[in-house]
Amino acid sequence: LPLCRVLPKLELHAHLNGSIRSSTLLELAAEHSQNGAVSYPELVSIIEKEKRSLPETFKLFGLIRLVTTNHQVVTRITREVIEDFAAENIIYVELRTTPKNNPAVGMTKRSYMEAVMAGFNTDSIAFNRIYVRLILSIDRRETTEAAIETVRLAFDMRQEGCEIVGIDLSGDPAIGEWKTFLPALTLAREMGLPLALHCGEVHNPEEVKSILDFHPERLGHVCCLDDLEWQALLASKIPVEVCLTSNVATLTVPCVADHHFVELYKAKHPIVICTDDPGIFCTTLSREYALAASCLDLVSEEVVKLAKEAINLSFAEPQLKQTLHQLFDFSHLKQA
Ligand code: 5GP
């Protein structure tokens, strides 16, 4: 773990509201329980559970949504998440979040994103300790039109110079159909926005096949694949975002040692170690690297190589990729 702490790291799969500090979540829940919006005891009991099934996890996301409703809270969470990532030597993060409308507080998808970017006002960013880029998520509950609205927003804001680098498809995998999102994802591709899509979190061979045929730039999870799809994944060489603790905590895979990333690593398939939702699953990227390293029996050089390979899998602009390479070359890993 000491090496994994000092290791410069890139986080390519972290959901903003899944990265919320537990202390902030409890504070917000206590405020909202006073007006009856959430049940504080229920929230505490879900947070305190070490493992929760995927449906329970999405119940928790529903509760988080209820307490993260206004612009100030969104800005605060973003700032705290960036500071927490920078504190464990994450030098680059692609933070993903779902733009939300909330007419009750005058929130539109755009104003939500502006509130997120107001959270970039941190010392860590000012002093280049961390570079932050954004991926806009389409929630699987959304309609085709709502998904297209998110893609257009990403395109427009990127044109305006905002740090938006891609599009994600996430949300409860038991909900929604591929054909609903395909028009928005096709539009994103036409607009030059790379795609990092959640794939195979539940058994859904038809959707997995469609996603693999669509060939997104990256895939998240890929836990529940049949043999045929697994072979197609290996042949595709599509990089996989590996979220060990999240997959075990949501009971999607039985244990880290049996996780499919072992086979991906041995097959030299491109992978990147990520946290998914460090706040929800009480983990850190350093811990995820330590888990991966012990599971794969890696020596220090191999851990550094694994972390460094994330640069090429990121959606960072070429010049920033160069800077990140230099940060690895100049880091003092040998002292660890
Ligand atoms: P937000 O987009 O609100 O910043 O982050 C929380 C949201 O990310 C959740 O409500 C959910 O839509 C999505 N999310 C977080 N973790 C996961 C995950 O493990 N799987 C999927 N499919 N979606 C997730």
Side-chain angles (χ1 to χ4, degrees):
L1 193 59
L3 166 73
C4 296
R5 283 226 178 87
V6 293
L7 182 69
K9 292 171 288 293
L10 284 80
E11 170 62 89
L12 303 188
H13 186 137
H15 298 267
L16 174 61
N17 283 309
S19 308
I20 188 172
R21 284 182 191 162
S22 294
S23 55
T24 301
L25 181 55
L26 288 170
E27 183 189 319
L28 294 171
E31 274 170 30
H32 284 260
S33 66
Q34 280 162 15
N35 58 30
V38 294
S39 152
Y40 187 71
E42 185 185 17
L43 187 67
V44 172
S45 76
I46 298 182
I47 291 173
E48 282 176 348
K49 270 180 109 168
E50 211 173 279
K51 290 190 181 181
R52 59 184 84 81
S53 65
L54 212 50
E56 280 177 321
T57 304
F58 280 96
K59 188 166 182 200
L60 180 54
F61 282 127
L63 290 170
I64 292 176
R65 253 177 201 233
L66 290 176
V67 301
T68 54
T69 41
N70 69 55
H71 295 105
Q72 291 85 341
V73 168
V74 171
T75 301
R76 170 186 173 182
I77 293 169
T78 308
R79 189 179 300 121
E80 289 178 354
V81 166
I82 291 170
E83 289 298 350
D84 291 349
F85 283 155
E88 57 148 342
N89 216 18
I90 292 178
I91 55 172
Y92 173 87
V93 55
E94 285 172 12
L95 204 49
R96 55 185 79 190
T97 193
T98 322
K100 299 164 185 82
N101 290 308
N102 183 5
V105 295
M107 183 186 281
T108 61
K109 285 189 173 186
R110 177 178 272 269
S111 74
Y112 173 88
M113 288 313 304
E114 286 165 354
V116 168
M117 281 179 304
F120 284 23
N121 182 14
T122 70
D123 282 351
S124 300
I125 291 184
F127 294 114
N128 290 338
R129 281 198 290 269
I130 187 166
Y131 295 87
V132 183
R133 298 292 179 266
L134 293 167
I135 293 179
L136 269 54
S137 303
I138 295 168
D139 188 314
R140 296 182 63 99
R141 287 176 298 189
E142 291 186 295
T143 60
T144 301
E145 292 69 35
I148 287 177
E149 187 193 347
T150 294
V151 171
R152 286 199 194 286
L153 178 67
F155 180 77
D156 291 346
M157 293 185 83
R158 193 183 60 170
Q159 294 286 91
E160 292 159 22
C162 302
E163 291 87 349
I164 293 171
V165 293
I167 296 290
D168 158 53
L169 173 65
S170 55
D172 191 340
I175 296 174
E177 287 184 285
W178 173 247
K179 67 171 191 261
T180 306
F181 316 116
L182 186 57
L185 299 173
T186 305
L187 179 67
R189 178 160 283 168
E190 285 164 11
M191 290 175 155
L193 287 159
L195 302 166
L197 308 184
H198 285 61
C199 175
E201 289 177 277
V202 292
H203 193 67
N204 187 348
E206 215 177 297
E207 181 174 288
V208 170
K209 183 177 181 321
S210 303
I211 295 181
L212 289 173
D213 288 348
F214 191 65
H215 206 101
E217 278 67 24
R218 292 200 314 250
L219 294 171
H221 302 297
V222 293
C223 299
C224 308
L225 269 59
D226 292 340
D227 273 358
L228 211 62
E229 295 135 17
W230 184 254
Q231 293 310 325
L233 170 69
L234 291 177
S236 76
K237 292 279 174 214
I238 301 172
V240 173
E241 302 152 355
V242 172
C243 307
L244 298 174
T245 298
S246 161
N247 294 157
V248 174
T250 56
L251 314 172
T252 319
V253 295
C255 63
V256 172
D258 288 342
H259 196 285
H260 49 285
F261 92 113
V262 176
E263 197 179 330
L264 290 175
Y265 183 82
K266 287 185 179 155
K268 297 196 186 329
H269 192 92
I271 59 167
V272 53
I273 304 296
C274 306
T275 54
D276 202 8
D277 300 292
I280 301 294
F281 299 119
C282 302
T283 191
T284 61
L285 192 54
S286 309
R287 187 169 169 271
E288 296 302 300
Y289 268 96
L291 276 175
S294 88
C295 196
L296 299 171
D297 217 2
L298 302 183
V299 297
S300 306
E301 290 75 17
E302 290 167 322
V303 180
V304 176
K305 187 164 175 272
L306 183 61
K308 196 172 171 181
E309 274 165 6
I311 300 174
N312 293 331
L313 308 186
S314 76
F315 297 156
E317 57 277 18
Q319 198 169 352
L320 178 52
K321 281 187 179 176
Q322 245 179 36
T323 305
L324 296 171
H325 273 291
Q326 283 164 2
L327 286 173
F328 267 88
D329 296 341
F330 295 140
S331 75
H332 303 291
L333 286 170
K334 291 196 179 73
Q335 292 170 15

